Amino acid sequence: MASAKPKDAITYLPWRRGGERLQTIAVANFKGGSAKTTTSIYLAQYLALQGYRVLAVDLDPQASLSSMLGVQPEFDLAEGDTLYGAIRYDEKRRPLKDIIRKTYFAGLDLVPGNLELMEFEHETPTALMGRKTGSSEIFFRRVGIALAEVEADYDIMIVDCPPQLGYLTLGAVCAATSLLITIHPQMVDVASMSQFLLMTSDLLSVVRKAGGDLNHDFIRYVITRHEPHDGPQAQIVALLRSLFGNEVLAATVLKSTAIADAGLTKQTLYEIERGQVRRSTFDRALESLDAVNGEILDGVKRVWGRT
Ligand SMILES: Nc1ncnc2c1ncn2[C@@H]1O[C@H](COP(=O)(O)OP(=O)(O)OP(=O)(O)O)[C@@H](O)[C@H]1O
Ligand SMILES: [Mg+2]
């Protein structure tokens, strides 16, 4: 099989090697519309374009990531075709390998989502009361255990979380080796900012109390839909940088009609021809996305000890 390839081609592959562990990046924020899904898909496609083997996991019952990647959540999926199929508590649980789909984008596979994922939120309290499952199978480990089944097939997994602090989000945060918190600076006034911080630390302490290990390689805040010339936004971004220092990515994703329009047509700027959008608009948006994604990849490479 692979013997048809020239020897050099193998050394060019950026795939992780022995000792470099799978990177699972959860993209989360409890705020709706903070560009989690947009961040997830651009990052996943960017990494696939760089030659990594990428698995995108749609943990949101709204399934916008799946529809961006060509899966119609209401029509294309049967029972158990989402991550729920691999983390459910009953005997219908199935291997994740059977749920994963190839996408039209080379190097990028998908675990789709749809409303079925809500079942996990409903069933977990009952499962906790019944204590039918062993401690290693406790709710917040189930996502990680399922993802680990296909660990050997991927270099990086990107998990798009729903905008709630539910059991699915907890599972993703526990499974993750790194976290990206997306922030749209317009909505983050100082009051909701402190609310957000409280919720984050609450979330982490809930998981810790339940015995979850939270040793993230890195946590980064990603400024999205950024309008650098907007005064209030500039103040919020400055505040975030003073609070979180280097945990806020230096690059930001600019607010751009090119990104918004690409979202409507379910194609990203990595997929469409530049000619379809005004050149300067397209280039500026793409540059900001590449800069953000490049910083995240640098973080991954540092974890792998490649720098
Ligand atoms: N950089 C950007 N410039 C312009 N529009 C953007 C940008 N990023 C995201 N959007 C738009 O903002 C909206 C919300 O983005 P997105 O769906 O990624 O957020 P989300 O956090 O995943 O939302 P939800 O909480 O509902 O899952 C979408 O319409 C998207 O196209
Ligand atoms: Mg979303």
Side-chain angles (χ1 to χ4, degrees), residues 139-151:
F139 74 92
F140 56 79
R141 294 223 174 87
R142 297 181 87 83
V143 173
I145 289 170
L147 296 181
E149 288 172 26
V150 294
E151 184 171 359

Side-chain angles (χ1 to χ4, degrees), residues 66-67 69-82 99 101 110 112-114:
S66 305
S67 36
L69 285 170
V71 174
Q72 303 177 83
E74 309 85 5
F75 304 114
D76 296 342
L77 303 179
E79 190 191 339
D81 280 350
T82 72
I99 298 172
R101 298 171 178 226
L110 171 71
N114 72 10

Side-chain angles (χ1 to χ4, degrees), residues 29 31 181 183-185 187-200 221 236-237 239-241 243-244 248:
N29 190 328
K31 284 259 186 195
I181 316 267
I183 297 184
H184 176 208
M187 358 180 251
V188 191
D189 51 68
V190 178
S192 63
M193 185 66 209
S194 53
Q195 172 81 1
F196 171 79
L197 288 173
L198 280 175
M199 286 179 78
T200 310
Y221 296 86
I236 289 159
V237 171
L239 172 66
L240 287 168
R241 292 201 190 283
L243 282 172
F244 298 117
V248 183

Side-chain angles (χ1 to χ4, degrees), residues 170 173-176 179 203-208 211-216:
L170 281 173
V173 167
C174 283
L179 297 182
L203 165 88
L204 298 181
S205 62
V206 166
V207 173
R208 275 201 196 94
D213 55 278
L214 288 169
N215 292 317
H216 294 121

Side-chain angles (χ1 to χ4, degrees), residues 32-38 60 62 163 225 253-256 259-260:
S34 57
K36 293 176 290 295
T37 301
T38 306
D60 190 349
Q62 299 173 96
R225 280 152 76 195
V253 181
L254 297 179
K255 179 176 180 180
S256 165
I259 297 175

Side-chain angles (χ1 to χ4, degrees), residues 38-250:
T38 306
T39 302
S40 300
I41 192 162
Y42 279 95
L43 177 60
Q45 290 191 343
Y46 174 89
L47 294 169
L49 286 169
Q50 305 292 315
Y52 296 95
R53 300 166 298 169
V54 183
L55 180 67
V57 182
D58 193 349
L59 262 198
D60 190 349
Q62 299 173 96
S64 2
L65 183 74
S66 305
S67 36
M68 281 295 289
L69 285 170
V71 174
Q72 303 177 83
E74 309 85 5
F75 304 114
D76 296 342
L77 303 179
E79 190 191 339
D81 280 350
T82 72
L83 188 74
Y84 174 69
I87 61 176
R88 61 194 298 168
Y89 295 95
D90 60 20
E91 69 291 341
K92 288 186 181 165
R93 193 164 72 229
R94 52 198 291 242
L96 186 65
K97 193 162 55 63
D98 298 345
I99 298 172
I100 290 172
R101 298 171 178 226
K102 296 247 164 275
T103 70
Y104 57 84
F105 203 90
L108 177 55
D109 292 353
L110 171 71
V111 178
N114 72 10
L115 277 177
E116 173 188 81
L117 284 163
M118 287 304 298
E119 299 295 320
F120 189 71
E121 303 289 353
H122 298 145
E123 286 165 8
T124 296
T126 322
L128 283 173
M129 292 210 292
R131 295 247 176 239
K132 280 179 297 194
T133 49
S135 62
S136 70
E137 296 237 307
I138 202 160
F139 74 92
F140 56 79
R141 294 223 174 87
R142 297 181 87 83
V143 173
I145 289 170
L147 296 181
E149 288 172 26
V150 294
E151 184 171 359
D153 301 333
Y154 299 98
D155 303 305
I156 305 171
M157 296 181 178
I158 310 292
V159 187
D160 182 21
C161 293
Q164 295 97 26
L165 204 169
Y167 296 115
L168 288 165
T169 302
L170 281 173
V173 167
C174 283
T177 54
S178 303
L179 297 182
L180 294 179
I181 316 267
T182 51
I183 297 184
H184 176 208
Q186 201 153 33
M187 358 180 251
V188 191
D189 51 68
V190 178
S192 63
M193 185 66 209
S194 53
Q195 172 81 1
F196 171 79
L197 288 173
L198 280 175
M199 286 179 78
T200 310
S201 64
D202 277 358
L203 165 88
L204 298 181
S205 62
V206 166
V207 173
R208 275 201 196 94
K209 273 197 201 114
D213 55 278
L214 288 169
N215 292 317
H216 294 121
D217 292 322
F218 59 83
I219 298 177
R220 291 288 179 272
Y221 296 86
V222 188
I223 311 282
T224 62
R225 280 152 76 195
H226 186 206
E227 296 167 275
H229 303 301
D230 177 275
Q233 279 209 15
Q235 282 184 341
I236 289 159
V237 171
L239 172 66
L240 287 168
R241 292 201 190 283
S242 71
L243 282 172
F244 298 117
N246 290 338
E247 295 197 345
V248 183
L249 290 185

